[in-house]
Amino acid sequence: MQDDAEATKPEPPTPEAIRARADALRDAKRWAEAEAAYRDYLALRPRHWQIHVQLGHTRKEQGDPDEALEHYRHAALLAPDDPDPMLQAGHVLRNLGRGGEAAVALARALALAPHSADLRHVVALMRHRTLPAPDGPMLAPAPRPTGTPVQLAFDVTDLLDYLRAARTPTGIQRVQMGILGALLASPARPADVILVGFEGSTWRWWHVEEAAFRRVLTLSRLGGREDDPAWQAAIAALVTPDARPDAPIVAGCTLCSLGNAWGVQEYFRGLRRLRAATPLRYVAFVHDCVPLAMPEHCLDLTVRLYARWFAALSLHADGILANSQATIGDHARFAAPLGPVAPAGLIRLAAESGASPQAAAQAAAALPHPRPDERFVLFVATLESRKNHLMVFQAWLELIRQLGAANVPRLICVGRPGWRAEAALALLEGSPDLRRKISVVSGVSDLALAGLYGRCLFTVYNSFHEGWGLPVSESLAAGKLALVPAHSGLLEAGAPGALFFAPGDMPDLVAKLEMLLTDRAQRELLESRIDRAGARRDWPDAAREVLAALTSPAEAPQAPPFLPLGRHLPMGWRGEGLPSRDMAWAERVREGLAWWWQEDWGVWMRDGVATLALPADQPEGTPMRLVLELRGPPAPLALRLRARGRRVEAWRGVTLAPGETLRCVLRAEAGPGGIAVDLDNGDGVPLGDRFKRIVGAGLTGVMLCREDDLAARLSALERAEG
């Protein structure tokens, strides 16, 4: 009987079965049971390092990161050539607030898998803990290169951001794509031309593959659906910074942004880091100053971002490119209070009409509107308050009432709805007469747009302010009259033959529209006077002007700017509508990687060593005094500070209580480049916000003055008391 009992006793589960059960419990997030099952498995297979990693995961999910770390480290001992255990250890150490150890663990993981894009990204996020702390006196910046650049690097960061979300370019994107497409295809292009992007989260400039970029330009011009597999594959191959090498920028390069970098995170801090290692010139294209000239037609965030970018441009740009004399004038007017104005070069925009008429007509015929035999007027612009579609819609309604619906052609509006388009769209929706006579289409390719220009009666373009007005040039280049308001850059875009109406004058707009619709002879006479050759410029023409401006700079680079002495510099981003010197310098003085973004009250430092760089126009050895206004993080923080001027001063220690406001005075002798301050925040403390930031001290204000400037010292004392 005993033998029978032993024969029917169930076999113990195999290690594979135990592991399968543990994995199922893990997938069901039954962490305690999964832990027990993984321990049973390891009792049989103690050297299976992947299961030690899984056991670490179960402990982490149960709120025990310290024990999880021990399991990850044990797995690393068992598998010293695999990066995963050290990667997991690095994540846990970071969450434990042990940033220095985390950075070391992640660097070890990357050393084991140097081609892993994901690991490169993670390690780059921790570079503020792996880079050596700055040391030595505060030196003057290297002089900017002069003469012909040895390399041209075109920054396409904002264009790639746009193409990630949209296929059909508008406005500034069309300008960038036109100029760069022509430049890259030109047999006369300089030998060393590269495309680069900036990744703000990792402060890294990366090399954009030219072949992938040109393919995307071709597909974008052809138009089509954004979910088209060919488009999606082309975009995926292009916008992958972590999979691409660092940008091969060399000393003597000119870096040029043809777009708008005002929305790119940490852009100028990234530029300063690049310049510190590689002397270069920086040139930016200013397309318009609309957020400063007419902030009421922009998002509040757009105004704030643009003002901060424009202010910082005054301290970073060696030159400016602009699309019109009007934009050059706007730039000079808003930049004058900020200091010396960078020299500006004029690049008139292109309005090429080289598409095959037959192909363009076929592409336009595929659009939902207009019908093949229908008369229409064309309005090409994003539907937003600045373009004032509302006024044109009201004018169309007045024409219907005056002339009768049968005598008023369809208005085709090409553009997607944008900021504050509600009023115009509400009028369109609420009026049956307008719904029968106005069509809004978006996602129109360049080819189809050329077909619409070829078929329309004329075009209308209404706007409160423009840097140029590309649709006006395109209309005239196609031989079609453009009716536009007489202001800003539209006066230059429309110079080859546009018909102007008084800005904002509804009766004048209606009268001129009525004339163009009812007096064919007069319309054809005005059309015959269009200087099509003057309006038509191929993109290669604009590209040649860009190259000429970049390769033959008109003036030598300006001397590096100096921080105004003796005045309080607020470090917060208070959302002023106009750029200011304080706004520019609050961006400029933050050096290195150990800073978070600016907030209304000031800016948090990160864990590790944050640096302030305060260039001063003072003889070396001049006694200087620096006042820092500090704010304590949510937990007590031991902070070390030191000044570096002519020499490196000794570290000082202060303790910040949670939320405490503290003013700290440092003294040093000016170095060749002024004064630098290092602030060592150690491992920092959790801020407890939704971004899970680790922070050091906060900085609300800075003041640098000569030690003998008693008025500035008294002012700082009064601030401390009041």
Side-chain angles (χ1 to χ4, degrees):
M1 296 294 293
Q2 184 176 358
D3 291 341
D4 291 343
E6 290 177 355
T8 59
K9 185 177 180 180
E11 292 290 332
T14 64
E16 290 71 20
I18 297 173
R19 178 183 173 184
R21 178 173 177 270
D23 288 345
L25 291 167
R26 175 205 61 198
D27 294 343
K29 298 184 179 181
R30 294 161 63 179
W31 303 113
E33 296 171 82
E35 176 192 352
Y38 281 131
R39 290 188 185 278
D40 290 341
Y41 175 86
L42 287 171
L44 301 173
R45 302 277 176 83
R47 297 191 61 80
H48 195 153
W49 68 266
Q50 291 98 332
I51 303 307
H52 281 285
V53 170
Q54 295 299 323
L55 186 56
H57 292 343
T58 65
R59 294 307 305 159
K60 180 178 67 176
E61 295 294 339
Q62 293 179 82
D64 189 355
D66 290 296
E67 187 176 342
L69 180 60
E70 293 306 312
H71 289 294
Y72 296 145
R73 284 175 166 167
H74 186 66
L77 291 175
L78 295 174
D81 295 329
D82 196 284
D84 188 56
M86 295 312 302
L87 171 64
Q88 303 301 333
H91 286 319
V92 169
L93 286 164
R94 183 64 176 151
N95 291 334
L96 287 170
R98 293 156 65 178
E101 296 175 70
V104 171
L106 292 171
R108 286 179 56 189
L110 181 60
L112 294 170
H115 301 296
S116 168
D118 291 339
L119 262 175
R120 280 206 302 271
H121 184 80
V122 171
V123 171
L125 291 172
M126 294 294 295
R127 277 196 299 169
H128 66 290
R129 296 304 306 268
T130 56
L131 293 175
D135 208 350
M138 174 71 169
L139 301 177
R144 305 282 170 80
T146 59
T148 303
V150 301
Q151 180 188 57
L152 293 178
F154 289 94
D155 174 21
V156 294
T157 304
D158 65 304
L159 178 57
L160 297 187
D161 287 344
Y162 178 88
L163 292 171
R164 283 185 177 96
R167 178 168 183 169
T168 306
T170 62
I172 293 172
Q173 291 77 36
R174 295 182 68 198
V175 173
Q176 287 178 272
M177 293 168 71
I179 292 176
L180 286 174
L183 188 150
L184 296 175
S186 172
R189 60 182 274 184
D192 196 356
V193 174
I194 61 172
L195 303 176
V196 303
F198 176 66
E199 173 55 50
S201 65
T202 58
W203 310 279
R204 175 174 172 262
W205 294 87
W206 57 285
H207 191 196
V208 177
E209 183 185 3
E210 182 179 322
F213 181 80
R214 294 175 69 173
R215 174 166 173 73
V216 164
L217 294 196
T218 299
L219 290 174
S220 178
R221 289 194 182 100
L222 292 175
R225 294 172 57 92
E226 291 171 2
D227 59 358
D228 170 35
W231 172 256
Q232 291 293 325
I235 284 295
L238 179 64
V239 295
T240 51
D242 294 324
R244 296 289 299 158
D246 289 346
I249 296 175
V250 300
C253 173
T254 290
L255 173 65
C256 177
S257 171
L258 293 175
N260 264 345
W262 50 260
V264 179
Q265 175 187 356
E266 302 289 7
Y267 188 79
F268 286 114
R269 198 139 57 96
L271 177 61
R272 291 196 299 277
R273 278 186 49 76
L274 179 62
R275 262 184 171 155
T278 309
L280 56 84
R281 287 171 54 87
Y282 176 68
V283 177
F285 202 121
V286 177
H287 292 265
D288 60 62
C289 296
V290 169
L292 307 182
M294 294 197 164
E296 65 274 16
H297 293 295
C298 302
L299 278 164
D300 178 63
L301 180 60
T302 297
V303 175
R304 298 173 72 189
L305 286 171
Y306 188 94
R308 186 170 66 165
W309 170 81
F310 191 93
L313 198 64
S314 67
L315 299 181
H316 294 83
D318 299 295
I320 297 294
L321 302 178
N323 50 17
S324 66
Q325 291 294 347
T327 299
I328 290 175
D330 285 345
H331 171 263
R333 174 163 59 96
F334 288 111
L338 306 176
V341 178
L346 176 62
I347 311 293
R348 289 196 305 114
L349 300 188
E352 61 183 353
S353 55
S356 161
Q358 182 178 4
Q362 289 175 348
L367 297 173
H369 301 284
R371 296 189 304 271
D373 58 345
E374 190 172 24
R375 298 165 67 243
F376 67 94
V377 176
L378 188 61
F379 186 0
V380 180
T382 301
L383 274 75
E384 59 186 18
S385 68
R386 178 168 63 91
K387 305 297 185 181
N388 202 2
H389 285 73
L390 178 62
M391 181 177 173
V392 177
F393 290 0
Q394 290 169 335
W396 229 252
L397 193 57
E398 185 64 24
L399 289 171
I400 292 171
R401 290 167 180 167
Q402 290 183 13
L403 305 178
N407 298 311
V408 177
R410 180 173 297 277
L411 177 67
I412 300 292
C413 297
V414 174
R416 63 181 64 193
W419 170 242
R420 287 183 176 168
E422 296 84 2
L425 293 176
L427 178 63
L428 178 59
E429 178 64 26
S431 169
D433 288 338
L434 288 182
R435 289 202 305 273
R436 285 189 288 268
K437 287 293 182 178
I438 295 179
S439 298
V440 177
V441 292
S442 59
V444 177
S445 69
D446 284 358
L447 189 62
L449 184 58
L452 291 177
Y453 281 124
R455 272 195 56 202
C456 70
L457 295 172
F458 59 90
T459 69
V460 62
Y461 190 84
N462 193 27
S463 174
F464 287 107
H465 192 91
E466 286 296 322
W468 177 257
L470 191 56
V472 176
S473 299
E474 292 173 331
S475 176
L476 298 175
K480 294 304 173 76
L481 199 64
L483 179 59
V484 297
H487 63 63
S488 61
L490 293 173
L491 290 169
E492 296 169 61
L499 177 61
F500 292 99
F501 66 91
D505 189 331
M506 173 69 79
D508 192 31
L509 172 60
V510 172
K512 287 187 168 64
L513 284 169
E514 182 179 357
M515 179 271 293
L516 293 174
L517 293 176
T518 61
D519 191 340
R520 179 174 177 175
Q522 181 64 15
R523 186 180 77 232
E524 291 178 346
L525 175 63
L526 292 172
E527 194 174 87
S528 70
R529 294 174 178 173
I530 294 173
D531 180 4
R532 294 185 65 175
R536 186 186 186 278
R537 284 184 90 225
D538 291 338
W539 285 116
D541 296 330
R544 281 190 290 271
E545 288 187 358
V546 168
L547 287 177
L550 298 180
T551 56
S552 301
E555 299 180 26
Q558 302 177 44
F562 295 105
L563 179 72
L565 298 182
R567 56 181 290 179
H568 175 258
L569 174 63
M571 292 299 297
W573 181 30
R574 305 184 188 281
E576 299 93 336
L578 290 176
S580 66
R581 295 179 75 188
D582 284 349
M583 191 185 295
W585 279 104
E587 161 59 43
R588 172 66 180 81
V589 298
R590 293 178 300 139
E591 202 62 61
L593 306 180
W595 295 92
W596 289 108
W597 52 81
Q598 287 175 283
E599 302 178 45
D600 287 348
W601 58 269
V603 58
W604 289 114
M605 301 173 211
R606 300 166 70 97
D607 52 328
V609 179
T611 296
L612 284 170
L614 309 172
D617 186 17
Q618 296 294 309
E620 184 176 356
T622 302
M624 306 293 290
R625 173 180 289 235
L626 175 70
V627 180
L628 302 176
E629 298 175 358
L630 302 171
R631 171 178 172 176
L637 179 78
L639 178 69
R640 296 195 308 153
L641 311 91
R642 71 176 181 187
R644 288 184 289 114
R646 188 178 194 178
R647 59 179 177 270
V648 180
E649 305 294 336
W651 287 99
R652 291 179 48 188
V654 297
T655 300
L656 285 168
E660 177 186 11
T661 298
L662 178 69
R663 287 171 175 81
C664 183
V665 177
L666 298 176
R667 296 178 180 84
E669 294 181 351
I675 298 290
V677 182
D678 302 319
L679 302 104
D680 185 355
N681 296 276
D683 280 328
V685 301
L687 183 59
D689 65 346
R690 65 189 180 95
F691 302 105
K692 298 182 179 180
R693 286 185 286 174
I694 303 296
V695 302
L699 182 66
T700 61
V702 179
M703 193 278 287
L704 178 68
C705 68
R706 292 171 57 103
E707 184 68 31
D708 59 6
D709 188 345
L710 300 182
R713 292 172 56 178
L714 177 60
S715 177
L717 181 62
E718 290 175 344
R719 279 188 56 81
E721 293 178 346

